[in-house]
Amino acid sequence: MKTVRSAIRQAIFSKDFLIGWIGVIFVVLVSSVPDVFEALRAGGSLPNAFHHSLIEKAIASDAMTLALPILAALPFTASFVNDQKSGFIKYYLHRTDRKHYMAGKGLACWISGGSVLVLGLLASYVFFAVAFLPMEDPAAKEVGDSLFSAGLMRSLVLVFLSGAFWSLCGITLAAMSGSRYMAYASPFIVYYVLIILHERYFDQCYFLYPKEWIHPSSRWMLGEWGVILLLLGLTAALAAVFFCTVKRRISQL
């Protein structure tokens, strides 16, 4: 367990994680500019829970759609390939066993890929709350806040699971190819291949449409739970591929 905790700390407290976190905040701010200008130009009090709605719209925006797989891949997807290329893995495996090493890499990548997105969104939420909450209409505040908070929490869960999946996708394909460039590029490539396939050829296969994973439509039988179960299933399958690939790579050292 010490190896797993060490890998998680390495992923979370890293320069790449900080860059990804700042990137999420930047994307949210950029995607929210039109709504902020329109609301301020209208004059008077802002709508109740305006700061909530900005985050909700940012999550479903085209900017977030474009950036999500890239930002999720930043923190830790290249870690295994870097260990392999530098030769560090040979020395590190003398201090721990293979199972804990593989579990640490996979879990740290999964957690960091989802956390960088959620923490960036939460930081943006705090900024919007400080900036706009005093300007919002206080009418029916408690009811509005409770409804928006529940919706926002569900959105954050979906964003976390989606980001975690794409991060694990990056480290898996990087391990398979032996290229650190694939660690950053492969989530973006697979993400957009799925989008193109859905929008041009298989528009009925909504369950394989990445945009649906963070902003599900009414077509899901179980609503958000359907997305959650799908992402957990895909993540489990991808994790199995990752562990088999890394095990084979380690045996070749």
Side-chain angles (χ1 to χ4, degrees), residues 7-96:
I8 294 174
R9 286 196 300 269
Q10 182 185 356
I12 299 296
F13 300 102
S14 66
K15 179 183 67 174
D16 291 334
F17 188 93
L18 179 61
I19 293 173
W21 179 74
I22 294 173
V24 174
I25 297 174
F26 177 77
V27 170
V28 172
L29 293 178
V30 169
S31 62
S32 302
V33 167
D35 291 319
V36 172
F37 279 165
E38 183 179 352
L40 294 178
R41 187 167 54 245
S45 298
L46 296 175
N48 181 45
F50 177 71
H51 61 290
H52 284 275
S53 64
L54 286 177
I55 297 297
E56 290 279 9
K57 290 179 180 179
I59 291 174
S61 67
D62 291 337
M64 183 59 70
T65 298
L66 175 67
L68 187 147
I70 301 172
L71 296 172
L74 284 178
F76 210 60
T77 52
S79 59
F80 172 71
V81 174
N82 287 339
D83 287 354
Q84 187 181 22
K85 295 291 186 181
S86 65
F88 175 76
I89 188 174
K90 297 179 181 179
Y91 302 99
Y92 193 74
L93 287 176
H94 288 299
R95 303 179 58 185
T96 186

Side-chain angles (χ1 to χ4, degrees), residues 51-52 54-55 123-136:
H51 61 290
H52 284 275
L54 286 177
I55 297 297
S124 303
Y125 176 87
V126 172
F127 173 78
F128 286 150
V130 172
F132 301 119
L133 192 58
M135 305 166 60
E136 293 178 8

Side-chain angles (χ1 to χ4, degrees), residues 38-213:
E38 183 179 352
L40 294 178
R41 187 167 54 245
S45 298
L46 296 175
N48 181 45
F50 177 71
H51 61 290
H52 284 275
S53 64
L54 286 177
I55 297 297
E56 290 279 9
K57 290 179 180 179
I59 291 174
S61 67
D62 291 337
M64 183 59 70
T65 298
L66 175 67
L68 187 147
I70 301 172
L71 296 172
L74 284 178
F76 210 60
T77 52
S79 59
F80 172 71
V81 174
N82 287 339
D83 287 354
Q84 187 181 22
K85 295 291 186 181
S86 65
F88 175 76
I89 188 174
K90 297 179 181 179
Y91 302 99
Y92 193 74
L93 287 176
H94 288 299
R95 303 179 58 185
T96 186
D97 59 80
R98 296 182 179 184
K99 290 184 179 180
H100 283 97
Y101 174 81
M102 292 188 294
K105 289 296 181 184
L107 189 58
C109 188
W110 185 80
I111 291 176
S112 62
S115 297
V116 69
L117 300 174
V118 171
L119 292 178
L121 290 170
L122 288 175
S124 303
Y125 176 87
V126 172
F127 173 78
F128 286 150
V130 172
F132 301 119
L133 192 58
M135 305 166 60
E136 293 178 8
D137 185 358
K141 186 176 181 58
E142 293 184 0
V143 176
D145 281 354
S146 63
L147 293 175
F148 275 97
S149 295
L152 181 59
M153 287 303 298
R154 290 194 296 269
S155 296
L156 291 178
V157 170
L158 296 180
V159 168
F160 177 90
L161 292 176
S162 183
F165 170 79
W166 290 116
S167 181
L168 190 60
C169 177
I171 197 173
T172 301
L173 293 177
M176 294 175 69
S177 64
S179 169
R180 63 173 301 181
Y181 300 106
M182 285 297 292
Y184 302 117
S186 58
F188 180 84
I189 294 171
V190 176
Y191 187 89
Y192 270 89
V193 166
L194 290 178
I195 288 179
I196 292 171
L197 288 176
H198 174 271
E199 293 183 347
R200 295 188 180 180
Y201 306 107
F202 307 106
D203 57 341
Q204 297 301 317
C205 297
Y206 62 90
F207 51 88
L208 292 180
Y209 190 38
K211 291 183 179 181
E212 290 275 349
W213 297 352

Side-chain angles (χ1 to χ4, degrees), residues 209-231:
Y209 190 38
K211 291 183 179 181
E212 290 275 349
W213 297 352
I214 59 173
H215 191 63
S217 64
S218 58
R219 290 185 290 181
W220 291 85
M221 184 177 299
L222 300 177
E224 286 88 353
W225 280 107
V227 183
I228 291 172
L229 292 175
L230 174 65
L231 286 173

